[in-house]
Amino acid sequence: MGVYTYLQPVHSAEPAGKEVDIDTSWFDLAEGLNALGLDGEFIVTGNIFIATGDEDSDGGGVYEGQLDPEEVQRNWQQLQIVTFERYLAAYQETPQGKGCNDPGIDNYLKAHFMTLMDVYRRAADAGAGMKIMAW
């Protein structure tokens, strides 16, 4: 069972943009970014799973975290230099990427990678933080 993850730019607790769904792709996105030397889990989830200590949960919980505007800006600065092609090449070299035999994975990851990039761009442009929800 995957963890569904949603991201939304926020000013304090107030929405600063629409919520976006990166579905269950968070792990694959984080793995590819990690392979590029970035802190993928922090970029994609704000480390909410580490912060809750519930990695072994049965998936029944709802996890929420928030990145402040400075964290969003730092993450966005790192993400701006990553193209999807570069991300995908790095992901394909990870154990997760090597073990995947889903013929549609490239399109699935591209859609969610582009969504991640877009929500970070919008949050950074607005000087907003980011709310992260997963369940």
Side-chain angles (χ1 to χ4, degrees), residues 14 18 29 31-32 40 47 50 54 69 84-85 95 98-99 102 107 109-111 116 124 135:
E14 296 299 314
K18 69 176 187 165
L29 291 172
E31 285 296 294
N47 287 334
I50 291 171
D54 289 338
F84 175 71
E85 293 74 20
K98 287 180 180 178
D102 179 353
N107 290 332
L109 290 176
K110 184 173 187 175
L116 180 71
W135 57 87

Coordinates of all heavy atoms in Angstrom, one line a residue, residues 14 18 29 31-32 40 47 50 54 69 84-85 95 98-99 102 107 109-111 116 124 135:
E14 N -2.7 29.7 6.1 CA -3.7 30.0 5.1 C -3.1 29.6 3.7 O -2.0 29.8 3.4 CB -3.9 31.5 5.0 CG -4.5 32.1 6.3 CD -5.9 31.5 6.5 OE1 -6.7 31.5 5.5 OE2 -6.2 31.1 7.6
K18 N -3.3 26.3 -4.8 CA -4.1 25.1 -4.8 C -3.2 23.9 -4.4 O -2.0 23.8 -4.6 CB -4.7 24.8 -6.2 CG -3.7 24.4 -7.2 CD -4.4 24.0 -8.5 CE -3.4 23.5 -9.5 NZ -4.0 22.8 -10.6
L29 N 10.2 9.8 -6.3 CA 10.7 11.1 -6.5 C 11.9 11.4 -5.5 O 12.9 11.9 -5.9 CB 9.6 12.2 -6.3 CG 8.5 12.2 -7.3 CD1 7.4 13.2 -6.9 CD2 9.1 12.6 -8.7
E31 N 13.8 9.1 -4.1 CA 14.9 8.3 -4.4 C 15.8 8.9 -5.5 O 17.0 8.9 -5.5 CB 14.5 6.9 -4.8 CG 14.0 6.0 -3.6 CD 15.2 5.7 -2.6 OE1 16.1 5.0 -3.0 OE2 15.1 6.3 -1.5
G32 N 15.1 9.3 -6.6 CA 15.8 9.9 -7.7 C 16.6 11.2 -7.3 O 17.7 11.4 -7.7
G40 N 16.2 14.2 -1.0 CA 15.0 14.0 -1.6 C 13.8 13.9 -0.7 O 12.7 14.4 -1.0
N47 N 10.4 15.5 5.4 CA 10.8 14.5 6.4 C 9.7 14.2 7.4 O 9.9 13.9 8.5 CB 12.1 14.9 7.1 CG 13.3 14.8 6.2 OD1 13.3 14.0 5.3 ND2 14.3 15.6 6.5
I50 N 10.0 10.8 9.1 CA 11.0 10.7 10.1 C 10.6 11.5 11.3 O 10.8 11.0 12.5 CB 12.4 11.3 9.5 CG1 12.9 10.4 8.4 CG2 13.4 11.5 10.6 CD1 14.1 11.0 7.7
D54 N 6.8 7.2 12.7 CA 5.8 6.2 12.4 C 6.0 5.5 11.0 O 5.1 5.1 10.4 CB 4.4 6.8 12.3 CG 3.9 7.2 13.7 OD1 4.4 6.7 14.7 OD2 3.0 8.1 13.8
P69 N 8.9 29.3 4.5 CA 9.3 29.9 3.2 C 10.8 29.8 2.9 O 11.1 29.6 1.7 CB 8.9 31.4 3.4 CG 7.7 31.3 4.4 CD 8.1 30.3 5.3
F84 N 13.9 16.8 -15.8 CA 13.3 15.5 -15.7 C 14.3 14.4 -16.2 O 14.4 13.3 -15.6 CB 12.0 15.4 -16.4 CG 11.4 14.0 -16.3 CD1 11.0 13.5 -15.2 CD2 11.4 13.2 -17.5 CE1 10.5 12.1 -15.1 CE2 11.0 11.9 -17.4 CZ 10.5 11.3 -16.2
E85 N 14.9 14.6 -17.3 CA 15.8 13.7 -17.9 C 17.0 13.3 -16.9 O 17.3 12.1 -16.8 CB 16.4 14.2 -19.2 CG 15.4 14.3 -20.3 CD 14.4 15.5 -20.2 OE1 14.8 16.5 -19.4 OE2 13.4 15.5 -20.8
P95 N 18.2 1.1 -6.7 CA 17.6 -0.2 -6.6 C 16.1 -0.2 -7.0 O 15.6 -1.1 -7.7 CB 17.8 -0.6 -5.2 CG 19.0 0.2 -4.7 CD 18.9 1.5 -5.5
K98 N 15.9 0.2 -10.9 CA 16.4 -1.1 -11.5 C 15.4 -2.2 -11.4 O 15.3 -3.0 -12.3 CB 17.7 -1.5 -11.0 CG 18.9 -0.6 -11.4 CD 20.2 -1.1 -10.8 CE 21.3 -0.2 -11.3 NZ 22.6 -0.6 -10.7
G99 N 14.6 -2.2 -10.3 CA 13.7 -3.3 -10.0 C 12.3 -3.0 -10.6 O 11.5 -3.9 -10.6
D102 N 7.5 -1.7 -14.7 CA 6.2 -1.0 -15.2 C 6.5 -0.2 -16.4 O 7.3 0.8 -16.4 CB 5.7 -0.1 -14.1 CG 4.4 0.6 -14.4 OD1 4.0 0.5 -15.6 OD2 3.8 1.3 -13.5
N107 N 6.2 7.9 -17.8 CA 5.2 8.9 -17.9 C 4.6 9.3 -16.5 O 4.3 10.4 -16.2 CB 4.1 8.4 -18.8 CG 4.5 8.4 -20.2 OD1 5.4 9.2 -20.7 ND2 4.0 7.5 -21.0
L109 N 6.1 9.1 -13.5 CA 7.1 9.9 -12.8 C 7.2 11.3 -13.4 O 7.4 12.3 -12.7 CB 8.5 9.2 -12.8 CG 8.5 8.0 -11.9 CD1 9.9 7.3 -12.0 CD2 8.2 8.3 -10.5
K110 N 7.2 11.4 -14.7 CA 7.3 12.7 -15.4 C 6.1 13.6 -14.9 O 6.3 14.8 -14.6 CB 7.3 12.6 -16.9 CG 7.5 14.0 -17.5 CD 7.7 13.9 -19.0 CE 8.1 15.2 -19.6 NZ 8.4 15.2 -21.0
A111 N 4.9 13.1 -14.9 CA 3.7 13.9 -14.5 C 3.9 14.4 -13.1 O 3.7 15.5 -12.8 CB 2.5 13.0 -14.6
L116 N 5.6 18.4 -8.9 CA 6.4 18.8 -7.8 C 7.2 20.1 -8.1 O 7.2 21.1 -7.3 CB 7.5 17.7 -7.5 CG 8.4 18.0 -6.4 CD1 7.7 18.0 -5.0 CD2 9.6 17.0 -6.4
A124 N 7.6 29.3 -4.1 CA 8.8 30.2 -4.1 C 8.4 31.6 -4.6 O 8.8 32.6 -4.0 CB 9.9 29.6 -4.8
W135 N -1.2 10.3 3.7 CA -1.9 9.2 4.3 C -1.9 8.0 3.5 O -1.5 8.0 2.3 CB -3.3 9.6 4.7 CG -4.2 10.0 3.6 CD1 -4.9 9.3 2.8 CD2 -4.4 11.4 3.2 NE1 -5.6 10.1 1.9 CE2 -5.3 11.4 2.1 CE3 -3.9 12.6 3.6 CZ2 -5.7 12.5 1.5 CZ3 -4.3 13.7 3.0 CH2 -5.2 13.7 2.0

